[in-house]
Amino acid sequence: MEDSYKHKGLRRQLIDAIRRKGIKDERVLEAMDKIPRHLFFDSSFLKFAYEDKPFPIGEGQTISQPYTVAFMTELLNVQKGEKVLEVGTGSGYQACIIEELGGRVYTVERHKALYQKAKKNAEKLSYRIKVFYGDGYKGLPTYGPFDKIIVTAGSEGTPQALIDQLKPGGRMVIPIGSSDLQHMITLDKSQEGEIIEKSWGGFRFVPLLPGKDED
Ligand code: SAH
């Protein structure tokens, strides 16, 4: 499947809409302008790829709304060469955006079918994100610590393993709350290991679930 002029045009309109909604980091907008979101969709749903809405990707999960992706990516503030952990690979779209910004991405997904699909999506576009099938609650201790951690499913609290795998000076972005409303939270770890928390308003995510689908 290709990235036609029509797709590029629709994508440009979507990026303009997201900018109008308040996203200021042009690096983030540029990365999203570059990545063909429609290639992360099943072919029969292509026409929904450039609406600013979440969309089902199978297994009861969704690819997040583009505005939400942009908002979280802006908060994550990825710098070139940083090691980044994503919990909740889903389609692989968010992970590819982080790589486009220069991050070295490790991403974990608990659904085997989505893990396999995300790997294919990234390979198709020549991204080198490292995709793992596992329980993101545990992080990836073998590959940590990470400069940045992004959790793309709603969590009731912050998993301690993820705090432990964040480098001093690092930042985690995680939606925290009940099953029907979460607050976007940034957790900054100081050089002394102190955690500074800030809230950035309400969002809705699919839940972070314990274990893998085949456990
Ligand atoms: N970032 C994704 C969207 C993620 S939706 C994208 O760009 O498409 C949230 C994802 O988190 C779902 O795929 C869900 O299966 C996954 N998830 C939920 N709990 C998890 C856990 N404990 N470990 C890993 N992945 C998890």
Side-chain angles (χ1 to χ4, degrees), residues 111-129:
H111 276 292
K112 197 165 217 172
L114 294 178
Y115 149 80
Q116 285 162 339
K117 220 194 270 183
K119 258 172 78 144
K120 279 204 197 110
N121 288 342
E123 278 163 19
K124 207 160 59 180
L125 291 163
S126 305
Y127 284 103
R128 287 175 300 193
I129 60 168

Side-chain angles (χ1 to χ4, degrees), residues 37-109:
R37 188 170 185 258
H38 66 280
L39 298 185
F40 294 80
F41 278 55
D42 291 333
S43 55
S44 42
F45 300 122
L46 280 184
K47 68 177 167 125
F48 298 104
Y50 295 109
E51 292 182 3
D52 192 16
K53 288 181 184 157
F55 198 81
I57 51 172
E59 312 295 326
Q61 306 305 316
T62 56
I63 181 170
S64 307
Q65 179 179 349
Y67 172 75
T68 306
V69 171
F71 192 85
M72 293 185 90
T73 312
E74 189 168 62
L75 287 176
L76 203 63
N77 190 24
V78 177
Q79 304 300 315
K80 283 209 167 54
E82 280 185 342
K83 203 150 102 177
V84 182
L85 171 66
E86 180 194 33
V87 174
T89 315
S91 67
Y93 176 66
Q94 170 76 74
C96 292
I97 290 173
I98 296 169
E99 180 177 325
E100 191 59 45
L101 289 164
R104 291 180 286 135
V105 187
Y106 297 75
T107 179
V108 194
E109 172 54 55

Side-chain angles (χ1 to χ4, degrees), residues 4-5 11 14 30 55 59-60 63 75 112 126 128 135-136 138 143-144 157-158 163 178-179 181 184 191 205-206 208:
S4 69
Y5 279 110
R11 194 151 69 240
L14 173 65
E30 214 174 284
F55 198 81
E59 312 295 326
I63 181 170
L75 287 176
K112 197 165 217 172
S126 305
R128 287 175 300 193
D135 179 6
K138 301 185 182 123
Y143 298 90
T158 317
I163 295 179
S178 60
S179 56
L181 180 70
M184 194 64 77
Q191 293 301 335
F205 281 84
V206 293
L208 188 69

Side-chain angles (χ1 to χ4, degrees), residues 150-208:
I150 176 171
V151 180
T152 64
S155 178
E156 280 182 11
T158 317
Q160 186 58 43
L162 299 184
I163 295 179
D164 293 345
Q165 288 168 41
L166 189 62
K167 282 187 195 172
R171 168 173 273 200
M172 174 164 13
V173 180
I174 178 169
I176 295 181
S178 60
S179 56
D180 45 53
L181 180 70
Q182 300 88 38
H183 281 90
M184 194 64 77
I185 303 291
T186 50
L187 297 170
D188 290 306
K189 194 186 248 188
S190 73
Q191 293 301 335
E192 294 72 37
E194 191 196 349
I195 300 293
I196 301 144
E197 199 177 306
K198 195 169 168 193
S199 174
W200 300 85
F203 286 84
R204 286 194 68 179
F205 281 84
V206 293
L208 188 69

